[in-house]
Amino acid sequence: MNTLDRQTAPDQAARERMKASHDLDGDAVRLAHLYRGWASAFDQDQARVGYCGPLIVAELAGAVQTAYLAGQRNAIAILDAGCGTGLVGVELERLGFRLIDGFDLSEEMAEKARQTGVYRHARGYVDLNGQLSDYPSASYDLTVCCGVLTLGHVRPDGLRELARVTRPNGFVIASTRKSYAETTFFEDQVRCLQDEGVLLPAQCLSNGRYVAEEDAHYWVFRVPEKVSAPTDERP
Ligand SMILES: C[S@@+](CC[C@H](N)C(=O)[O-])C[C@H]1O[C@@H](n2cnc3c(N)ncnc32)[C@H](O)[C@@H]1O
């Protein structure tokens, strides 16, 4: 008997809610509506589907900070993009990070994140498929994004804004469910962003555990130093 055969009715319902969220084609109104109704059961559902993305993303953030970022961990400014109910923030706090901000499309999910008490602020109604206009450039040392670059949610181009709000030589860490990476030609999109100097792939944990039914890739991108734009002035 395999894991799926042993599923109870609540396990099956959790999988169906997850699948429904993948079928919304990035439609912000429908996504916000779905997550409004899901916020109170989300954490329990994620335990049922074996979601371990938040733990892996937070541990990658810890490793990247130790390996590459000067200064104390508790002084590293982190943005948790699409923070949901705060599962990533809780893991980050457990690892010693203290300056954690979050945002989410869904106000109800962001409210759950605020209730964890680990975020400085967690804003709702922020859409990563658009401009993060309330977030100045180069504000964060690290930006994490778990379970958001996924089917029916945010397009790979969302990485542009994540890179913009992260400081030069800072890092963006993101999960991509395998089927999302394949259907969005994620690696090709990353190559375009690299050619444009938006970000540089630094590491990838391929085919890591994510949910029971599917693995994910976990990406670490470095934000390059900005090359100053050429001017028209000639000597
Ligand atoms: C699967 S949950 C992951 C939440 C959290 N990062 C975690 O790992 O537990 C996906 C989250 O992305 C949010 N989301 C979906 N589309 C979004 C968008 N366009 N901009 C910002 N957040 C979005 C949803 O509201 C939801 O909270």
Side-chain angles (χ1 to χ4, degrees), residues 31 35 42 51 54 80-84 87-88 103-106 109 126-129 146-148 153-154:
L31 277 161
Y35 277 102
F42 182 83
Y51 184 45
D80 182 5
C83 60
L87 295 175
V88 178
F103 73 76
D104 200 276
L105 184 65
S106 159
M109 295 290 275
V126 179
D127 185 354
L128 181 56
N129 278 320
C146 184
V148 182
H153 285 48
V154 171

mmCIF file with all atom_site columns, all heavy atoms in Angstrom, residues 31 35 42 51 54 80-84 87-88 103-106 109 126-129 146-148 153-154, ligand 1:
data_model
loop_
_atom_site.group_PDB
_atom_site.id
_atom_site.type_symbol
_atom_site.label_atom_id
_atom_site.label_alt_id
_atom_site.label_comp_id
_atom_site.label_asym_id
_atom_site.label_entity_id
_atom_site.label_seq_id
_atom_site.pdbx_PDB_ins_code
_atom_site.Cartn_x
_atom_site.Cartn_y
_atom_site.Cartn_z
_atom_site.occupancy
_atom_site.B_iso_or_equiv
_atom_site.pdbx_formal_charge
_atom_site.auth_seq_id
_atom_site.auth_comp_id
_atom_site.auth_asym_id
_atom_site.auth_atom_id
_atom_site.pdbx_PDB_model_num
ATOM   1   N N   . LEU A 1 31  ? -7.374 34.027 -6.584  1.00 0.00 ? 31  LEU A N   1
ATOM   2   C CA  . LEU A 1 31  ? -6.395 33.529 -5.607  1.00 0.00 ? 31  LEU A CA  1
ATOM   3   C C   . LEU A 1 31  ? -6.681 34.112 -4.221  1.00 0.00 ? 31  LEU A C   1
ATOM   4   O O   . LEU A 1 31  ? -6.682 33.387 -3.217  1.00 0.00 ? 31  LEU A O   1
ATOM   5   C CB  . LEU A 1 31  ? -4.977 33.896 -6.044  1.00 0.00 ? 31  LEU A CB  1
ATOM   6   C CG  . LEU A 1 31  ? -4.335 32.959 -7.070  1.00 0.00 ? 31  LEU A CG  1
ATOM   7   C CD1 . LEU A 1 31  ? -3.166 33.649 -7.768  1.00 0.00 ? 31  LEU A CD1 1
ATOM   8   C CD2 . LEU A 1 31  ? -3.877 31.650 -6.424  1.00 0.00 ? 31  LEU A CD2 1
ATOM   9   N N   . TYR A 1 35  ? -7.580 31.896 -0.917  1.00 0.00 ? 35  TYR A N   1
ATOM   10  C CA  . TYR A 1 35  ? -6.762 31.888 0.304   1.00 0.00 ? 35  TYR A CA  1
ATOM   11  C C   . TYR A 1 35  ? -7.507 32.513 1.490   1.00 0.00 ? 35  TYR A C   1
ATOM   12  O O   . TYR A 1 35  ? -7.236 32.169 2.639   1.00 0.00 ? 35  TYR A O   1
ATOM   13  C CB  . TYR A 1 35  ? -5.414 32.562 0.046   1.00 0.00 ? 35  TYR A CB  1
ATOM   14  C CG  . TYR A 1 35  ? -4.433 31.584 -0.595  1.00 0.00 ? 35  TYR A CG  1
ATOM   15  C CD1 . TYR A 1 35  ? -4.167 31.617 -1.959  1.00 0.00 ? 35  TYR A CD1 1
ATOM   16  C CD2 . TYR A 1 35  ? -3.808 30.603 0.164   1.00 0.00 ? 35  TYR A CD2 1
ATOM   17  C CE1 . TYR A 1 35  ? -3.288 30.707 -2.548  1.00 0.00 ? 35  TYR A CE1 1
ATOM   18  C CE2 . TYR A 1 35  ? -2.928 29.693 -0.408  1.00 0.00 ? 35  TYR A CE2 1
ATOM   19  C CZ  . TYR A 1 35  ? -2.673 29.748 -1.758  1.00 0.00 ? 35  TYR A CZ  1
ATOM   20  O OH  . TYR A 1 35  ? -1.810 28.836 -2.317  1.00 0.00 ? 35  TYR A OH  1
ATOM   21  N N   . PHE A 1 42  ? -5.035 26.273 6.632   1.00 0.00 ? 42  PHE A N   1
ATOM   22  C CA  . PHE A 1 42  ? -3.861 26.102 5.770   1.00 0.00 ? 42  PHE A CA  1
ATOM   23  C C   . PHE A 1 42  ? -2.746 25.292 6.441   1.00 0.00 ? 42  PHE A C   1
ATOM   24  O O   . PHE A 1 42  ? -2.228 24.338 5.854   1.00 0.00 ? 42  PHE A O   1
ATOM   25  C CB  . PHE A 1 42  ? -3.339 27.484 5.335   1.00 0.00 ? 42  PHE A CB  1
ATOM   26  C CG  . PHE A 1 42  ? -2.165 27.415 4.401   1.00 0.00 ? 42  PHE A CG  1
ATOM   27  C CD1 . PHE A 1 42  ? -2.347 27.234 3.039   1.00 0.00 ? 42  PHE A CD1 1
ATOM   28  C CD2 . PHE A 1 42  ? -0.866 27.526 4.881   1.00 0.00 ? 42  PHE A CD2 1
ATOM   29  C CE1 . PHE A 1 42  ? -1.265 27.159 2.168   1.00 0.00 ? 42  PHE A CE1 1
ATOM   30  C CE2 . PHE A 1 42  ? 0.220  27.452 4.022   1.00 0.00 ? 42  PHE A CE2 1
ATOM   31  C CZ  . PHE A 1 42  ? 0.017  27.271 2.668   1.00 0.00 ? 42  PHE A CZ  1
ATOM   32  N N   . TYR A 1 51  ? 4.168  19.048 3.506   1.00 0.00 ? 51  TYR A N   1
ATOM   33  C CA  . TYR A 1 51  ? 4.876  20.238 2.990   1.00 0.00 ? 51  TYR A CA  1
ATOM   34  C C   . TYR A 1 51  ? 6.106  20.533 3.848   1.00 0.00 ? 51  TYR A C   1
ATOM   35  O O   . TYR A 1 51  ? 5.978  20.847 5.037   1.00 0.00 ? 51  TYR A O   1
ATOM   36  C CB  . TYR A 1 51  ? 3.910  21.409 3.040   1.00 0.00 ? 51  TYR A CB  1
ATOM   37  C CG  . TYR A 1 51  ? 4.386  22.716 2.464   1.00 0.00 ? 51  TYR A CG  1
ATOM   38  C CD1 . TYR A 1 51  ? 5.054  22.780 1.244   1.00 0.00 ? 51  TYR A CD1 1
ATOM   39  C CD2 . TYR A 1 51  ? 4.116  23.914 3.128   1.00 0.00 ? 51  TYR A CD2 1
ATOM   40  C CE1 . TYR A 1 51  ? 5.443  24.001 0.708   1.00 0.00 ? 51  TYR A CE1 1
ATOM   41  C CE2 . TYR A 1 51  ? 4.496  25.136 2.593   1.00 0.00 ? 51  TYR A CE2 1
ATOM   42  C CZ  . TYR A 1 51  ? 5.163  25.172 1.392   1.00 0.00 ? 51  TYR A CZ  1
ATOM   43  O OH  . TYR A 1 51  ? 5.545  26.385 0.861   1.00 0.00 ? 51  TYR A OH  1
ATOM   44  N N   . PRO A 1 54  ? 9.047  25.221 3.658   1.00 0.00 ? 54  PRO A N   1
ATOM   45  C CA  . PRO A 1 54  ? 9.486  26.288 4.561   1.00 0.00 ? 54  PRO A CA  1
ATOM   46  C C   . PRO A 1 54  ? 10.748 25.944 5.343   1.00 0.00 ? 54  PRO A C   1
ATOM   47  O O   . PRO A 1 54  ? 11.633 26.786 5.521   1.00 0.00 ? 54  PRO A O   1
ATOM   48  C CB  . PRO A 1 54  ? 8.277  26.470 5.489   1.00 0.00 ? 54  PRO A CB  1
ATOM   49  C CG  . PRO A 1 54  ? 7.117  26.084 4.643   1.00 0.00 ? 54  PRO A CG  1
ATOM   50  C CD  . PRO A 1 54  ? 7.604  24.919 3.809   1.00 0.00 ? 54  PRO A CD  1
ATOM   51  N N   . ASP A 1 80  ? 10.060 37.988 3.306   1.00 0.00 ? 80  ASP A N   1
ATOM   52  C CA  . ASP A 1 80  ? 9.396  36.719 3.004   1.00 0.00 ? 80  ASP A CA  1
ATOM   53  C C   . ASP A 1 80  ? 8.240  37.032 2.051   1.00 0.00 ? 80  ASP A C   1
ATOM   54  O O   . ASP A 1 80  ? 7.185  37.516 2.467   1.00 0.00 ? 80  ASP A O   1
ATOM   55  C CB  . ASP A 1 80  ? 8.906  36.083 4.318   1.00 0.00 ? 80  ASP A CB  1
ATOM   56  C CG  . ASP A 1 80  ? 8.233  34.734 4.113   1.00 0.00 ? 80  ASP A CG  1
ATOM   57  O OD1 . ASP A 1 80  ? 8.226  34.230 2.974   1.00 0.00 ? 80  ASP A OD1 1
ATOM   58  O OD2 . ASP A 1 80  ? 7.714  34.199 5.118   1.00 0.00 ? 80  ASP A OD2 1
ATOM   59  N N   . ALA A 1 81  ? 8.481  36.771 0.756   1.00 0.00 ? 81  ALA A N   1
ATOM   60  C CA  . ALA A 1 81  ? 7.523  37.160 -0.295  1.00 0.00 ? 81  ALA A CA  1
ATOM   61  C C   . ALA A 1 81  ? 6.468  36.071 -0.450  1.00 0.00 ? 81  ALA A C   1
ATOM   62  O O   . ALA A 1 81  ? 6.807  34.926 -0.703  1.00 0.00 ? 81  ALA A O   1
ATOM   63  C CB  . ALA A 1 81  ? 8.284  37.353 -1.607  1.00 0.00 ? 81  ALA A CB  1
ATOM   64  N N   . GLY A 1 82  ? 5.191  36.437 -0.293  1.00 0.00 ? 82  GLY A N   1
ATOM   65  C CA  . GLY A 1 82  ? 4.128  35.436 -0.294  1.00 0.00 ? 82  GLY A CA  1
ATOM   66  C C   . GLY A 1 82  ? 4.217  34.628 0.985   1.00 0.00 ? 82  GLY A C   1
ATOM   67  O O   . GLY A 1 82  ? 4.231  33.401 0.966   1.00 0.00 ? 82  GLY A O   1
ATOM   68  N N   . CYS A 1 83  ? 4.257  35.346 2.104   1.00 0.00 ? 83  CYS A N   1
ATOM   69  C CA  . CYS A 1 83  ? 4.571  34.714 3.406   1.00 0.00 ? 83  CYS A CA  1
ATOM   70  C C   . CYS A 1 83  ? 3.486  33.762 3.882   1.00 0.00 ? 83  CYS A C   1
ATOM   71  O O   . CYS A 1 83  ? 3.736  32.958 4.781   1.00 0.00 ? 83  CYS A O   1
ATOM   72  C CB  . CYS A 1 83  ? 4.814  35.785 4.464   1.00 0.00 ? 83  CYS A CB  1
ATOM   73  S SG  . CYS A 1 83  ? 3.394  36.870 4.726   1.00 0.00 ? 83  CYS A SG  1
ATOM   74  N N   . GLY A 1 84  ? 2.287  33.862 3.295   1.00 0.00 ? 84  GLY A N   1
ATOM   75  C CA  . GLY A 1 84  ? 1.198  32.997 3.741   1.00 0.00 ? 84  GLY A CA  1
ATOM   76  C C   . GLY A 1 84  ? 0.949  33.170 5.226   1.00 0.00 ? 84  GLY A C   1
ATOM   77  O O   . GLY A 1 84  ? 0.955  34.293 5.752   1.00 0.00 ? 84  GLY A O   1
ATOM   78  N N   . LEU A 1 87  ? 4.735  30.228 7.870   1.00 0.00 ? 87  LEU A N   1
ATOM   79  C CA  . LEU A 1 87  ? 5.502  28.999 8.153   1.00 0.00 ? 87  LEU A CA  1
ATOM   80  C C   . LEU A 1 87  ? 7.005  29.214 7.962   1.00 0.00 ? 87  LEU A C   1
ATOM   81  O O   . LEU A 1 87  ? 7.818  28.668 8.715   1.00 0.00 ? 87  LEU A O   1
ATOM   82  C CB  . LEU A 1 87  ? 5.014  27.856 7.244   1.00 0.00 ? 87  LEU A CB  1
ATOM   83  C CG  . LEU A 1 87  ? 3.569  27.378 7.463   1.00 0.00 ? 87  LEU A CG  1
ATOM   84  C CD1 . LEU A 1 87  ? 3.192  26.328 6.414   1.00 0.00 ? 87  LEU A CD1 1
ATOM   85  C CD2 . LEU A 1 87  ? 3.402  26.811 8.857   1.00 0.00 ? 87  LEU A CD2 1
ATOM   86  N N   . VAL A 1 88  ? 7.388  30.003 6.940   1.00 0.00 ? 88  VAL A N   1
ATOM   87  C CA  . VAL A 1 88  ? 8.819  30.246 6.694   1.00 0.00 ? 88  VAL A CA  1
ATOM   88  C C   . VAL A 1 88  ? 9.379  31.154 7.799   1.00 0.00 ? 88  VAL A C   1
ATOM   89  O O   . VAL A 1 88  ? 10.460 30.898 8.340   1.00 0.00 ? 88  VAL A O   1
ATOM   90  C CB  . VAL A 1 88  ? 9.053  30.878 5.309   1.00 0.00 ? 88  VAL A CB  1
ATOM   91  C CG1 . VAL A 1 88  ? 10.537 31.160 5.092   1.00 0.00 ? 88  VAL A CG1 1
ATOM   92  C CG2 . VAL A 1 88  ? 8.524  29.967 4.199   1.00 0.00 ? 88  VAL A CG2 1
ATOM   93  N N   . PHE A 1 103 ? 5.020  39.755 3.087   1.00 0.00 ? 103 PHE A N   1
ATOM   94  C CA  . PHE A 1 103 ? 3.817  40.267 2.405   1.00 0.00 ? 103 PHE A CA  1
ATOM   95  C C   . PHE A 1 103 ? 3.111  39.113 1.735   1.00 0.00 ? 103 PHE A C   1
ATOM   96  O O   . PHE A 1 103 ? 3.704  38.053 1.476   1.00 0.00 ? 103 PHE A O   1
ATOM   97  C CB  . PHE A 1 103 ? 4.155  41.389 1.403   1.00 0.00 ? 103 PHE A CB  1
ATOM   98  C CG  . PHE A 1 103 ? 4.837  40.923 0.145   1.00 0.00 ? 103 PHE A CG  1
ATOM   99  C CD1 . PHE A 1 103 ? 4.132  40.280 -0.871  1.00 0.00 ? 103 PHE A CD1 1
ATOM   100 C CD2 . PHE A 1 103 ? 6.191  41.128 -0.036  1.00 0.00 ? 103 PHE A CD2 1
ATOM   101 C CE1 . PHE A 1 103 ? 4.771  39.851 -2.033  1.00 0.00 ? 103 PHE A CE1 1
ATOM   102 C CE2 . PHE A 1 103 ? 6.839  40.702 -1.189  1.00 0.00 ? 103 PHE A CE2 1
ATOM   103 C CZ  . PHE A 1 103 ? 6.117  40.061 -2.188  1.00 0.00 ? 103 PHE A CZ  1
ATOM   104 N N   . ASP A 1 104 ? 1.861  39.334 1.426   1.00 0.00 ? 104 ASP A N   1
ATOM   105 C CA  . ASP A 1 104 ? 1.070  38.303 0.753   1.00 0.00 ? 104 ASP A CA  1
ATOM   106 C C   . ASP A 1 104 ? -0.073 38.982 -0.004  1.00 0.00 ? 104 ASP A C   1
ATOM   107 O O   . ASP A 1 104 ? -0.516 40.067 0.367   1.00 0.00 ? 104 ASP A O   1
ATOM   108 C CB  . ASP A 1 104 ? 0.498  37.310 1.780   1.00 0.00 ? 104 ASP A CB  1
ATOM   109 C CG  . ASP A 1 104 ? 0.110  35.992 1.134   1.00 0.00 ? 104 ASP A CG  1
ATOM   110 O OD1 . ASP A 1 104 ? -1.005 35.898 0.587   1.00 0.00 ? 104 ASP A OD1 1
ATOM   111 O OD2 . ASP A 1 104 ? 0.932  35.063 1.151   1.00 0.00 ? 104 ASP A OD2 1
ATOM   112 N N   . LEU A 1 105 ? -0.516 38.308 -1.045  1.00 0.00 ? 105 LEU A N   1
ATOM   113 C CA  . LEU A 1 105 ? -1.703 38.789 -1.763  1.00 0.00 ? 105 LEU A CA  1
ATOM   114 C C   . LEU A 1 105 ? -2.922 38.772 -0.845  1.00 0.00 ? 105 LEU A C   1
ATOM   115 O O   . LEU A 1 105 ? -3.775 39.670 -0.904  1.00 0.00 ? 105 LEU A O   1
ATOM   116 C CB  . LEU A 1 105 ? -1.935 37.846 -2.955  1.00 0.00 ? 105 LEU A CB  1
ATOM   117 C CG  . LEU A 1 105 ? -3.059 38.193 -3.901  1.00 0.00 ? 105 LEU A CG  1
ATOM   118 C CD1 . LEU A 1 105 ? -2.788 39.500 -4.615  1.00 0.00 ? 105 LEU A CD1 1
ATOM   119 C CD2 . LEU A 1 105 ? -3.232 37.070 -4.930  1.00 0.00 ? 105 LEU A CD2 1
ATOM   120 N N   . SER A 1 106 ? -2.990 37.772 -0.001  1.00 0.00 ? 106 SER A N   1
ATOM   121 C CA  . SER A 1 106 ? -4.175 37.577 0.842   1.00 0.00 ? 106 SER A CA  1
ATOM   122 C C   . SER A 1 106 ? -3.995 38.249 2.198   1.00 0.00 ? 106 SER A C   1
ATOM   123 O O   . SER A 1 106 ? -3.069 37.922 2.948   1.00 0.00 ? 106 SER A O   1
ATOM   124 C CB  . SER A 1 106 ? -4.403 36.070 1.037   1.00 0.00 ? 106 SER A CB  1
ATOM   125 O OG  . SER A 1 106 ? -5.194 35.835 2.183   1.00 0.00 ? 106 SER A OG  1
ATOM   126 N N   . MET A 1 109 ? -4.277 35.594 5.030   1.00 0.00 ? 109 MET A N   1
ATOM   127 C CA  . MET A 1 109 ? -3.047 34.821 5.246   1.00 0.00 ? 109 MET A CA  1
ATOM   128 C C   . MET A 1 109 ? -2.027 35.701 5.987   1.00 0.00 ? 109 MET A C   1
ATOM   129 O O   . MET A 1 109 ? -1.370 35.247 6.940   1.00 0.00 ? 109 MET A O   1
ATOM   130 C CB  . MET A 1 109 ? -2.471 34.341 3.910   1.00 0.00 ? 109 MET A CB  1
ATOM   131 C CG  . MET A 1 109 ? -3.350 33.347 3.160   1.00 0.00 ? 109 MET A CG  1
ATOM   132 S SD  . MET A 1 109 ? -3.463 31.723 3.942   1.00 0.00 ? 109 MET A SD  1
ATOM   133 C CE  . MET A 1 109 ? -2.023 30.899 3.296   1.00 0.00 ? 109 MET A CE  1
ATOM   134 N N   . VAL A 1 126 ? -0.618 42.574 -1.341  1.00 0.00 ? 126 VAL A N   1
ATOM   135 C CA  . VAL A 1 126 ? 0.570  42.891 -2.146  1.00 0.00 ? 126 VAL A CA  1
ATOM   136 C C   . VAL A 1 126 ? 0.714  41.807 -3.216  1.00 0.00 ? 126 VAL A C   1
ATOM   137 O O   . VAL A 1 126 ? 0.779  40.615 -2.889  1.00 0.00 ? 126 VAL A O   1
ATOM   138 C CB  . VAL A 1 126 ? 1.840  42.958 -1.276  1.00 0.00 ? 126 VAL A CB  1
ATOM   139 C CG1 . VAL A 1 126 ? 3.057  43.276 -2.139  1.00 0.00 ? 126 VAL A CG1 1
ATOM   140 C CG2 . VAL A 1 126 ? 1.687  43.990 -0.165  1.00 0.00 ? 126 VAL A CG2 1
ATOM   141 N N   . ASP A 1 127 ? 0.758  42.224 -4.477  1.00 0.00 ? 127 ASP A N   1
ATOM   142 C CA  . ASP A 1 127 ? 0.718  41.285 -5.606  1.00 0.00 ? 127 ASP A CA  1
ATOM   143 C C   . ASP A 1 127 ? 2.091  41.193 -6.275  1.00 0.00 ? 127 ASP A C   1
ATOM   144 O O   . ASP A 1 127 ? 2.559  42.149 -6.894  1.00 0.00 ? 127 ASP A O   1
ATOM   145 C CB  . ASP A 1 127 ? -0.331 41.769 -6.618  1.00 0.00 ? 127 ASP A CB  1
ATOM   146 C CG  . ASP A 1 127 ? -0.513 40.787 -7.770  1.00 0.00 ? 127 ASP A CG  1
ATOM   147 O OD1 . ASP A 1 127 ? 0.242  39.798 -7.853  1.00 0.00 ? 127 ASP A OD1 1
ATOM   148 O OD2 . ASP A 1 127 ? -1.419 41.038 -8.587  1.00 0.00 ? 127 ASP A OD2 1
ATOM   149 N N   . LEU A 1 128 ? 2.704  40.040 -6.174  1.00 0.00 ? 128 LEU A N   1
ATOM   150 C CA  . LEU A 1 128 ? 4.038  39.845 -6.741  1.00 0.00 ? 128 LEU A CA  1
ATOM   151 C C   . LEU A 1 128 ? 4.008  39.698 -8.264  1.00 0.00 ? 128 LEU A C   1
ATOM   152 O O   . LEU A 1 128 ? 5.055  39.743 -8.901  1.00 0.00 ? 128 LEU A O   1
ATOM   153 C CB  . LEU A 1 128 ? 4.699  38.627 -6.071  1.00 0.00 ? 128 LEU A CB  1
ATOM   154 C CG  . LEU A 1 128 ? 6.111  38.248 -6.498  1.00 0.00 ? 128 LEU A CG  1
ATOM   155 C CD1 . LEU A 1 128 ? 7.091  39.420 -6.332  1.00 0.00 ? 128 LEU A CD1 1
ATOM   156 C CD2 . LEU A 1 128 ? 6.611  37.042 -5.719  1.00 0.00 ? 128 LEU A CD2 1
ATOM   157 N N   . ASN A 1 129 ? 2.822  39.566 -8.846  1.00 0.00 ? 129 ASN A N   1
ATOM   158 C CA  . ASN A 1 129 ? 2.773  39.603 -10.314 1.00 0.00 ? 129 ASN A CA  1
ATOM   159 C C   . ASN A 1 129 ? 2.805  41.038 -10.834 1.00 0.00 ? 129 ASN A C   1
ATOM   160 O O   . ASN A 1 129 ? 2.757  41.262 -12.038 1.00 0.00 ? 129 ASN A O   1
ATOM   161 C CB  . ASN A 1 129 ? 1.525  38.879 -10.833 1.00 0.00 ? 129 ASN A CB  1
ATOM   162 C CG  . ASN A 1 129 ? 1.739  37.374 -10.894 1.00 0.00 ? 129 ASN A CG  1
ATOM   163 O OD1 . ASN A 1 129 ? 2.815  36.907 -11.277 1.00 0.00 ? 129 ASN A OD1 1
ATOM   164 N ND2 . ASN A 1 129 ? 0.734  36.610 -10.499 1.00 0.00 ? 129 ASN A ND2 1
ATOM   165 N N   . CYS A 1 146 ? 8.732  31.001 -0.913  1.00 0.00 ? 146 CYS A N   1
ATOM   166 C CA  . CYS A 1 146 ? 8.508  29.548 -0.827  1.00 0.00 ? 146 CYS A CA  1
ATOM   167 C C   . CYS A 1 146 ? 7.060  29.220 -1.192  1.00 0.00 ? 146 CYS A C   1
ATOM   168 O O   . CYS A 1 146 ? 6.133  29.781 -0.607  1.00 0.00 ? 146 CYS A O   1
ATOM   169 C CB  . CYS A 1 146 ? 8.811  29.088 0.606   1.00 0.00 ? 146 CYS A CB  1
ATOM   170 S SG  . CYS A 1 146 ? 8.684  27.306 0.808   1.00 0.00 ? 146 CYS A SG  1
ATOM   171 N N   . GLY A 1 147 ? 6.892  28.343 -2.156  1.00 0.00 ? 147 GLY A N   1
ATOM   172 C CA  . GLY A 1 147 ? 5.544  27.891 -2.515  1.00 0.00 ? 147 GLY A CA  1
ATOM   173 C C   . GLY A 1 147 ? 4.745  28.923 -3.271  1.00 0.00 ? 147 GLY A C   1
ATOM   174 O O   . GLY A 1 147 ? 3.519  28.804 -3.362  1.00 0.00 ? 147 GLY A O   1
ATOM   175 N N   . VAL A 1 148 ? 5.387  29.930 -3.807  1.00 0.00 ? 148 VAL A N   1
ATOM   176 C CA  . VAL A 1 148 ? 4.691  31.048 -4.458  1.00 0.00 ? 148 VAL A CA  1
ATOM   177 C C   . VAL A 1 148 ? 4.979  31.065 -5.962  1.00 0.00 ? 148 VAL A C   1
ATOM   178 O O   . VAL A 1 148 ? 4.097  31.359 -6.779  1.00 0.00 ? 148 VAL A O   1
ATOM   179 C CB  . VAL A 1 148 ? 5.111  32.383 -3.803  1.00 0.00 ? 148 VAL A CB  1
ATOM   180 C CG1 . VAL A 1 148 ? 4.374  33.550 -4.417  1.00 0.00 ? 148 VAL A CG1 1
ATOM   181 C CG2 . VAL A 1 148 ? 4.885  32.325 -2.295  1.00 0.00 ? 148 VAL A CG2 1
ATOM   182 N N   . HIS A 1 153 ? 0.064  30.519 -9.610  1.00 0.00 ? 153 HIS A N   1
ATOM   183 C CA  . HIS A 1 153 ? 0.284  31.620 -8.668  1.00 0.00 ? 153 HIS A CA  1
ATOM   184 C C   . HIS A 1 153 ? 1.078  32.756 -9.334  1.00 0.00 ? 153 HIS A C   1
ATOM   185 O O   . HIS A 1 153 ? 0.502  33.622 -9.961  1.00 0.00 ? 153 HIS A O   1
ATOM   186 C CB  . HIS A 1 153 ? 1.020  31.113 -7.419  1.00 0.00 ? 153 HIS A CB  1
ATOM   187 C CG  . HIS A 1 153 ? 0.159  30.323 -6.482  1.00 0.00 ? 153 HIS A CG  1
ATOM   188 N ND1 . HIS A 1 153 ? -0.660 29.304 -6.893  1.00 0.00 ? 153 HIS A ND1 1
ATOM   189 C CD2 . HIS A 1 153 ? -0.011 30.381 -5.133  1.00 0.00 ? 153 HIS A CD2 1
ATOM   190 C CE1 . HIS A 1 153 ? -1.306 28.795 -5.862  1.00 0.00 ? 153 HIS A CE1 1
ATOM   191 N NE2 . HIS A 1 153 ? -0.928 29.438 -4.771  1.00 0.00 ? 153 HIS A NE2 1
ATOM   192 N N   . VAL A 1 154 ? 2.408  32.730 -9.187  1.00 0.00 ? 154 VAL A N   1
ATOM   193 C CA  . VAL A 1 154 ? 3.237  33.866 -9.650  1.00 0.00 ? 154 VAL A CA  1
ATOM   194 C C   . VAL A 1 154 ? 4.138  33.414 -10.799 1.00 0.00 ? 154 VAL A C   1
ATOM   195 O O   . VAL A 1 154 ? 4.745  32.338 -10.727 1.00 0.00 ? 154 VAL A O   1
ATOM   196 C CB  . VAL A 1 154 ? 4.062  34.441 -8.470  1.00 0.00 ? 154 VAL A CB  1
ATOM   197 C CG1 . VAL A 1 154 ? 5.076  35.461 -8.958  1.00 0.00 ? 154 VAL A CG1 1
ATOM   198 C CG2 . VAL A 1 154 ? 3.121  35.065 -7.444  1.00 0.00 ? 154 VAL A CG2 1
HETATM 199 C C1  . LIG B 2 .   ? 1.266  27.719 -1.002  1.00 0.00 ? 1   LIG B C1  1
HETATM 200 S S1  . LIG B 2 .   ? 1.139  29.242 -0.144  1.00 0.00 ? 1   LIG B S1  1
HETATM 201 C C2  . LIG B 2 .   ? 2.793  29.408 0.528   1.00 0.00 ? 1   LIG B C2  1
HETATM 202 C C3  . LIG B 2 .   ? 2.820  30.327 1.718   1.00 0.00 ? 1   LIG B C3  1
HETATM 203 C C4  . LIG B 2 .   ? 4.167  30.374 2.451   1.00 0.00 ? 1   LIG B C4  1
HETATM 204 N N1  . LIG B 2 .   ? 5.196  30.993 1.661   1.00 0.00 ? 1   LIG B N1  1
HETATM 205 C C5  . LIG B 2 .   ? 4.587  28.992 2.887   1.00 0.00 ? 1   LIG B C5  1
HETATM 206 O O1  . LIG B 2 .   ? 5.571  28.473 2.349   1.00 0.00 ? 1   LIG B O1  1
HETATM 207 O O2  . LIG B 2 .   ? 3.897  28.438 3.763   1.00 0.00 ? 1   LIG B O2  1
HETATM 208 C C6  . LIG B 2 .   ? 1.147  30.449 -1.445  1.00 0.00 ? 1   LIG B C6  1
HETATM 209 C C7  . LIG B 2 .   ? 0.950  31.872 -0.960  1.00 0.00 ? 1   LIG B C7  1
HETATM 210 O O3  . LIG B 2 .   ? 1.185  32.750 -2.067  1.00 0.00 ? 1   LIG B O3  1
HETATM 211 C C8  . LIG B 2 .   ? 0.253  33.799 -1.978  1.00 0.00 ? 1   LIG B C8  1
HETATM 212 N N2  . LIG B 2 .   ? 0.128  34.380 -3.328  1.00 0.00 ? 1   LIG B N2  1
HETATM 213 C C9  . LIG B 2 .   ? -0.476 33.861 -4.407  1.00 0.00 ? 1   LIG B C9  1
HETATM 214 N N3  . LIG B 2 .   ? -0.363 34.691 -5.454  1.00 0.00 ? 1   LIG B N3  1
HETATM 215 C C10 . LIG B 2 .   ? 0.339  35.761 -5.011  1.00 0.00 ? 1   LIG B C10 1
HETATM 216 C C11 . LIG B 2 .   ? 0.770  36.979 -5.618  1.00 0.00 ? 1   LIG B C11 1
HETATM 217 N N4  . LIG B 2 .   ? 0.487  37.243 -6.890  1.00 0.00 ? 1   LIG B N4  1
HETATM 218 N N5  . LIG B 2 .   ? 1.460  37.862 -4.875  1.00 0.00 ? 1   LIG B N5  1
HETATM 219 C C12 . LIG B 2 .   ? 1.739  37.608 -3.561  1.00 0.00 ? 1   LIG B C12 1
HETATM 220 N N6  . LIG B 2 .   ? 1.350  36.477 -2.940  1.00 0.00 ? 1   LIG B N6  1
HETATM 221 C C13 . LIG B 2 .   ? 0.660  35.564 -3.650  1.00 0.00 ? 1   LIG B C13 1
HETATM 222 C C14 . LIG B 2 .   ? -1.011 33.147 -1.468  1.00 0.00 ? 1   LIG B C14 1
HETATM 223 O O4  . LIG B 2 .   ? -1.906 34.075 -0.942  1.00 0.00 ? 1   LIG B O4  1
HETATM 224 C C15 . LIG B 2 .   ? -0.451 32.169 -0.459  1.00 0.00 ? 1   LIG B C15 1
HETATM 225 O O5  . LIG B 2 .   ? -0.376 32.727 0.825   1.00 0.00 ? 1   LIG B O5  1
#
